[in-house]
Amino acid sequence: MTDKERTDTQLAMLYDLRLQIDKEQKETYTKDEILKLLDTIALETKSK
């Protein structure tokens, strides 16, 4: 994997996290909630 591919992947994952947070109605998140969102994105990405 090149540096550009790695950067693109990281940005895509951050955007996925942003979309997950945006669709929720909450204004603040706990550490555990953020970790759960990251786990959800990781599992969705892994299954593709």
Side-chain angles (χ1 to χ4, degrees):
M1 180 178 277
T2 67
D3 285 341
K4 180 171 178 1
E5 290 171 326
R6 186 175 302 109
T7 299
D8 289 347
T9 300
Q10 290 170 342
L11 290 174
M13 291 188 74
L14 285 171
Y15 187 68
D16 287 342
L17 178 59
R18 187 225 178 275
L19 292 176
Q20 288 279 358
I21 291 171
D22 189 51
K23 75 179 183 180
E24 300 286 330
Q25 297 298 318
K26 295 182 73 165
E27 290 295 321
T28 59
Y29 290 85
T30 66
K31 178 181 176 181
D32 288 335
E33 290 170 326
I34 292 171
L35 292 174
K36 185 175 179 182
L37 288 171
L38 289 169
D39 289 344
T40 300
I41 292 168
L43 290 171
E44 288 174 359
T45 302
K46 186 177 180 181
S47 67
K48 289 182 181 179

